[in-house]
Amino acid sequence: QVQLVESGGGLVQAGGSLRLSCAASGRTFSTYAMGWFRQAPGKVREFVAAVAWSDGDIYYADSVQGRFTISRDNAKNTVYLQMNSLKPEDTAVYYCAADPQYSGRYFYTRDGWYNSWGQGTQVTVSS
């Protein structure tokens, strides 16, 4: 199993930036990909971004394309989410995920296929 610890959330004004980090430990060599999801109050958890661990393929939700950047540091087993031009609608608890059951975009972009989750970090964007 992969253990995940997120950090970097906080309160920021609209238009500002935050950088989230997710450090992985445990069976990290076995994960196909790592991803970020978010859940706003009263809403279902939604996909934000994912990066494939072997070839570095990257996927984004349409709502964050061009504003968020996911990156990885293989040596540190860490994935980052750089969030720029933040909007109030980006307010949510952000979760890091790892170890999807299968390889491929379909599985990387859907939360039900991930086996490991972090505790979540709150991001609040004020207007």
Side-chain angles (χ1 to χ4, degrees), residues 3 8 11 14 22 32-33 57 59 78-79 83 88 92 110 120 123 125:
Q3 292 78 45
L11 173 64
C22 175
Y32 290 122
D57 283 352
Y59 312 94
T78 299
V79 65
M83 305 184 293
R110 288 161 173 82
V123 171
V125 184

Side-chain angles (χ1 to χ4, degrees), residues 52-71:
W53 216 243
S54 59
D55 57 18
D57 283 352
I58 288 175
Y59 312 94
Y60 293 105
D62 290 344
S63 59
V64 306
Q65 180 79 47
R67 299 188 298 122
F68 291 11
T69 302
I70 189 171
S71 62

Side-chain angles (χ1 to χ4, degrees), residues 6 32 36 38 40-41 47 73 77 89 94 100 102 106 111 118:
E6 302 114 330
Y32 290 122
W36 288 97
R38 66 186 182 187
F47 169 73
D73 185 330
N77 289 325
E89 50 264 44
Y94 283 70
Y102 302 102
Y106 178 89
D111 61 350

Side-chain angles (χ1 to χ4, degrees), residues 7-118:
S7 60
L11 173 64
V12 64
Q13 289 188 331
S17 299
L18 282 175
R19 187 194 195 205
L20 306 183
S21 299
C22 175
S25 60
R27 292 177 59 87
T28 56
F29 61 87
S30 66
T31 188
Y32 290 122
M34 292 183 69
W36 288 97
F37 291 76
R38 66 186 182 187
Q39 187 168 21
K43 295 188 176 181
V44 299
R45 187 161 57 188
E46 64 175 2
F47 169 73
V48 175
V51 56
W53 216 243
S54 59
D55 57 18
D57 283 352
I58 288 175
Y59 312 94
Y60 293 105
D62 290 344
S63 59
V64 306
Q65 180 79 47
R67 299 188 298 122
F68 291 11
T69 302
I70 189 171
S71 62
R72 59 180 184 163
D73 185 330
N74 288 29
K76 296 181 179 180
N77 289 325
T78 299
V79 65
Y80 305 96
L81 186 68
Q82 177 66 44
M83 305 184 293
N84 298 328
S85 301
L86 283 161
K87 305 174 181 180
E89 50 264 44
D90 293 317
T91 295
V93 177
Y94 283 70
Y95 296 92
C96 177
D99 193 21
Q101 295 182 38
Y102 302 102
S103 175
R105 176 183 183 136
Y106 178 89
F107 304 104
Y108 299 165
T109 59
R110 288 161 173 82
D111 61 350
W113 294 101
Y114 281 86
N115 290 316
S116 298
W117 290 88

